[in-house]
């Protein structure tokens, strides 16, 4: 398998089956452009592939987007830390929508920053408790995990891969894989991206 095929396989596993609108960007390229997206992102935003790939996620911003929230995201990206904010974004047709945006780093086997995961959840107008309800549900789901599963999930949310999680927790990589599979099943997470989002929503 070539490097390109390996990366495509990793990106597909990360977001393709997620019901949550998601993209992956490449911080090693100028302006951190999007290099992968899923069908849910197109359904949410209305943009086509040639309008997504190669662009920074900032293209979702518009006239009333809060600049201080954009700066919060930019600051987290610079620090390589996960962040979750509710921000006003715009669909392709100009329709504004409240967007619960998650941005989280993903590191490679050498421990170097490789990708950023971005996911978006539209918050319905007139439903200010939607995000709080998601947070409560996330906390409840995470609390139901075992201590070790929560530790693995917290490391996943920081963007660490199995080998680094094993090293940081002082367990075998096989143990990490076992707990990772169990926690994703218990969270009902179809992809690692979904599990990461739940962890950040829960404040893990």
């Amino acid at each position: 398998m070539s490097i390109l095929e390996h990366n495509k396989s990793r990106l597909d596993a990360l977001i393709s089956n997620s019901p949550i609108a998601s993209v992956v960007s490449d911080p090693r390229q100028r302006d951190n452009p999007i290099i992968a997206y899923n069908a849910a992102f197109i359904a949410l935003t209305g943009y086509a592939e040639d309008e997504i790939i190669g662009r920074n996620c900032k293209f979702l911003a518009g006239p009333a987007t809060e600049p201080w929230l954009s700066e919060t995201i930019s600051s987290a990206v610079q620090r390589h830390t996960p962040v979750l904010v509710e921000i006003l974004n715009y669909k392709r047709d100009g329709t504004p929508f409240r967007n619960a945006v998650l941005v989280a780093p993903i590191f490679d086997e050498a421990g170097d920053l490789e990708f950023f995961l971005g996911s978006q959840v539209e918050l319905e107008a007139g439903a200010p408790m939607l995000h709080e309800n998601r947070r409560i549900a996330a906390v409840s789901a995470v609390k139901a995990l075992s201590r070790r599963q929560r530790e693995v999930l917290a490391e996943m949310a920081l963007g660490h891969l199995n080998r680094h999680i094993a090293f940081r927790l002082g367990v075998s990589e096989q143990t990490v894989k076992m707990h990772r599979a169990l926690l994703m099943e218990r969270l009902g997470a179809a992809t690692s991206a979904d599990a990461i989002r739940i962890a950040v929503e829960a404040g893990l």
Side-chain angles (χ1 to χ4, degrees):
M1 180 183 292
S2 71
I3 292 176
L4 287 177
E5 289 172 331
H6 174 70
N7 282 344
K8 184 180 187 307
S9 176
R10 281 194 61 206
L11 297 179
D12 284 347
L14 187 62
I15 65 171
S16 64
N17 294 324
S18 175
I20 296 175
S22 304
V23 297
V24 175
S25 64
D26 184 356
R28 298 176 181 180
Q29 295 186 46
R30 182 177 176 275
D31 203 28
N32 195 20
I34 295 171
I35 57 172
Y37 62 91
N38 63 6
F41 184 81
I42 289 179
L44 173 63
T45 67
Y47 283 93
E49 177 176 9
D50 62 353
E51 299 171 305
I52 300 170
I53 296 296
R55 301 178 69 183
N56 184 284
C57 277
K58 292 176 184 175
F59 72 84
L60 293 178
T65 298
E66 305 91 338
W68 50 91
L69 295 179
S70 296
E71 179 55 36
T72 296
I73 295 173
S74 295
S75 178
V77 166
Q78 290 170 5
R79 297 194 314 272
H80 304 169
T81 57
V83 63
L84 178 65
V85 300
E86 293 179 26
I87 192 169
L88 188 71
N89 279 156
Y90 291 79
K91 302 186 181 189
R92 189 185 187 284
D93 64 4
T95 302
F97 69 103
R98 295 304 303 178
N99 190 2
V101 177
L102 163 74
V103 179
I106 304 293
F107 297 92
D108 65 16
E109 291 288 350
D112 297 322
L113 180 65
E114 185 173 22
F115 305 123
F116 276 104
L117 163 69
S119 69
Q120 300 79 22
V121 172
E122 181 173 7
L123 303 178
E124 298 175 15
M129 289 302 293
L130 180 60
H131 177 64
E132 183 61 17
N133 289 342
R134 286 184 63 90
R135 190 192 71 79
I136 291 170
V139 168
S140 177
V142 170
K143 285 175 69 175
L145 300 176
S146 71
R147 178 183 61 82
R148 182 63 82 190
Q149 288 163 6
R150 285 196 298 272
E151 290 173 344
V152 170
L153 181 60
E155 292 293 329
M156 289 172 61
L158 292 173
H160 298 136
L161 301 182
N162 290 342
R163 189 177 76 177
H164 287 92
I165 295 174
F167 175 77
R168 288 166 64 90
L169 297 183
V171 298
S172 71
E173 190 170 346
Q174 190 59 41
T175 297
V176 171
K177 289 178 180 178
M178 177 191 70
H179 285 300
R180 186 176 188 133
L182 286 171
L183 74 86
M184 289 184 63
E185 180 181 348
R186 291 183 178 180
L187 293 177
T191 66
S192 294
D194 297 336
I196 290 169
R197 186 174 184 100
I198 291 170
V200 176
E201 286 178 333
L204 190 63

